[in-house]
């Protein structure tokens, strides 16, 4: 069943109970950040459906009161993270309709009412518009269009067809740039990531899943919109920064950070602009919502892997994950 068809069915089935009122995006780690594009879209475009993004464990411990028979809960996990499976059980107990996003079948797909398979961002040859983030964004757009109408829905569906070609071109463009950056960063103990608005989820994944988890290098993430309210005090000539410049309404915040860095930081500031990755080729009406779908695979598959090679750190190794009780 196609995503649009699935969402239409779920919403129609809810009509007898008063209709869809809320959607909750539940996952852990990188899968949680993968919901960011959908949540950002819902925040900016929906006036009728409440939307919330929450980690699996927090949902288990403190599920939102809105969750019930008028709620869709989307739960994402590649292979069935135990906290996400438990969250799915609780969502069902509360009466919500549950939709899993998965790579491999697991107990999660058995628990949930509906299941949508996605392709991992690691798979270069697969359509990067059909990753967990891409499919969640499709769901969000379908929800808004069906419930209240989304004027730019056709433009958005067209944009999805252009994501993979843009990714392939951006990947080749960024490889030599990433190698140069990685060589400069290979001995650094901390790399600070700045991002804002529609690109913030990608920045957080880059810090949390790529630099911290995979390479065990300290990496705080800050929102460019909040950078000048405390975090900018760490700026100096020796501090490495990686700035994502969004294509969208918060771009001015990223540009403000760049202006500050040019004045007070050193030569360890790296800037990656969404317009360099091809977002400027999408229609202005929807391009903002596709930052995540290009930034995230480029950062994971090009920049993280370049840094892994430069540091000599195998990005598949872990100190604790899957090895000890936690």
């Amino acid at each position: 069943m196609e995503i649009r068809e699935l969402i239409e069915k779920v919403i129609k089935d809810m009509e007898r109970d008063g209709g869809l009122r809320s959607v909750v995006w539940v996952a852990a780690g990188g899968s949680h950040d993968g919901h960011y594009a959908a949540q950002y879209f819902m925040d900016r475009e929906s006036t009728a459906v409440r939307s919330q993004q929450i980690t699996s464990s927090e949902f288990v411990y403190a599920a939102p009161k809105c969750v019930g028979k008028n709620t869709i809960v989307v739960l994402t996990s590649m292979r069935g993270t135990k906290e996400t499976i438990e969250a799915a059980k609780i969502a069902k107990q509360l009466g919500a309709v549950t939709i899993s996003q998965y790579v491999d079948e697991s107990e999660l797909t058995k628990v949930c009412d509906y299941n949508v398979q996605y392709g991992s961002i690691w798979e270069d040859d697969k359509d990067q518009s059909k990753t967990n983030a891409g499919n969640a964004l499709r769901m969000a757009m379908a929800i808004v269009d069906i419930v209240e109408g989304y004027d730019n829905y056709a433009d958005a569906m067209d944009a999805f067809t252009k994501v993979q070609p843009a990714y392939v071109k951006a990947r080749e463009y960024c490889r030599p740039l990433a190698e140069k950056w990685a060589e400069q960063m290979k001995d650094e103990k901390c790399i600070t990531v700045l991002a804002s608005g529609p690109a913030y989820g990608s920045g957080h994944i880059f810090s949390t899943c790529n630099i911290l988890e995979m390479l065990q290098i300290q990496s705080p993430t800050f929102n460019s919109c909040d950078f000048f309210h405390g975090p900018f005090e760490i700026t100096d000539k020796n501090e490495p920064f990686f700035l994502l410049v969004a294509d969208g309404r918060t771009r001015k915040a990223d540009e403000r950070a760049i202006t500050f860095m040019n004045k007070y930081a050193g030569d360890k500031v790296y800037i990656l602009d969404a317009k360099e990755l091809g977002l400027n080729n999408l229609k202005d009406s929807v391009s903002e919502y596709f930052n995540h779908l290009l930034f995230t695979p480029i950062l994971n598959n090009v920049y993280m892997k370049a840094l892994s090679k430069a540091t000599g750190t195998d990005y598949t190794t872990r100190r604790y994950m899957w090895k000890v009780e936690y």
Side-chain angles (χ1 to χ4, degrees):
M1 190 182 302
E2 294 295 323
I3 287 175
R4 171 79 187 207
E5 183 183 1
L6 170 60
I7 298 301
E8 285 177 343
K9 179 185 185 309
V10 171
I11 291 176
K12 185 169 181 57
D13 289 345
M14 283 185 174
E15 288 178 357
R16 63 178 178 268
D17 293 317
L20 176 64
R21 296 177 189 168
S22 61
V23 57
V24 183
W25 312 89
V26 179
S31 297
H32 170 64
D33 283 322
H35 288 151
Y36 192 87
Q39 179 64 41
Y40 184 85
F41 172 83
M42 294 294 296
D43 283 340
R44 273 76 195 171
E45 297 292 347
S46 180
T47 61
V49 180
R50 172 180 176 176
S51 181
Q52 182 176 358
Q53 179 183 2
I54 186 169
T55 62
S56 300
S57 287
E58 189 170 350
F59 188 92
V60 170
Y61 293 130
K65 194 172 183 177
C66 69
V67 177
K69 61 185 179 181
N70 304 105
T71 306
I72 294 174
V73 178
V74 179
L75 304 108
T76 300
S77 176
M78 292 183 71
R79 300 176 183 87
T81 303
K82 62 181 181 180
E83 292 91 342
T84 308
I85 294 169
E86 187 62 27
K89 293 177 181 177
I90 291 174
K92 291 197 71 172
Q93 290 170 9
L94 293 172
V97 173
T98 52
I99 301 174
S100 85
Q101 288 202 99
Y102 73 100
V103 171
D104 297 325
E105 292 185 352
S106 66
E107 188 179 353
L108 179 66
T109 56
K110 295 177 181 178
V111 170
C112 288
D113 300 308
Y114 302 96
N115 301 293
V116 176
Q117 193 169 29
Y118 67 90
S120 169
I121 63 171
W122 294 89
E123 300 172 357
D124 277 358
D125 59 332
K126 297 294 178 66
D127 189 343
Q128 291 293 326
S129 78
K130 295 182 179 179
T131 58
N132 57 339
N135 284 347
L137 182 59
R138 290 175 196 266
M139 291 183 202
M141 288 176 166
I143 287 169
V144 173
D145 189 47
I146 293 164
V147 173
E148 55 194 293
Y150 175 41
D151 291 342
N152 298 316
Y153 186 78
D155 288 350
M157 294 305 103
D158 178 66
F160 276 113
T161 69
K162 297 175 180 176
V163 169
Q164 180 63 13
Y167 166 70
V168 171
K169 187 174 181 180
R171 182 186 63 197
E172 302 312 309
Y173 167 77
C174 288
R175 275 178 175 159
L177 302 175
E179 290 172 2
K180 183 178 179 180
W181 168 78
E183 187 64 26
Q184 185 184 23
M185 292 292 107
K186 65 182 181 181
D187 296 320
E188 297 295 336
K189 304 302 181 185
C190 181
I191 301 170
T192 300
V193 178
L194 289 181
S196 72
Y200 182 77
S202 296
H204 196 259
I205 288 177
F206 188 43
S207 285
T208 304
C209 298
N210 295 157
I211 303 176
L212 277 163
E213 177 190 329
M214 296 180 180
L215 303 179
Q216 294 95 54
I217 298 170
Q218 288 288 349
S219 183
T221 319
F222 299 121
N223 192 317
S224 301
C225 294
D226 205 38
F227 184 60
F228 296 99
H229 302 278
F232 73 139
E233 292 294 345
I234 66 171
T235 306
D236 62 36
K237 300 294 184 183
N238 296 311
E239 182 72 20
F241 287 92
F242 195 110
L243 278 71
L244 302 185
V245 184
D247 182 7
R249 284 167 283 183
T250 65
R251 184 179 179 88
K252 291 184 183 298
D254 303 325
E255 291 173 341
R256 181 187 177 195
I258 291 171
T259 299
F260 181 83
M261 293 291 175
N262 286 339
K263 188 173 183 180
Y264 295 106
D267 61 358
K268 297 180 181 180
V269 177
Y270 188 86
I271 298 167
L272 184 61
D273 193 328
K275 292 182 182 295
E276 294 179 75
L277 306 185
L279 274 179
N280 58 321
N281 294 324
L282 305 184
K283 290 185 178 180
D284 291 343
S285 58
V286 298
S287 62
E288 176 177 31
Y289 299 124
F290 289 82
N291 279 266
H292 189 106
L293 273 58
L294 280 175
F295 268 133
T296 300
I298 289 295
L299 292 169
N300 181 89
N301 295 338
V302 180
Y303 286 87
M304 183 279 291
K305 289 182 179 178
L307 188 56
S308 170
K309 183 177 180 180
T311 59
T313 303
D314 181 355
Y315 59 82
T316 66
T317 63
R318 302 292 185 273
R319 297 176 66 196
Y320 305 108
M321 189 175 287
W322 311 306
K323 294 183 177 181
V324 301
E325 288 292 324
Y326 51 89

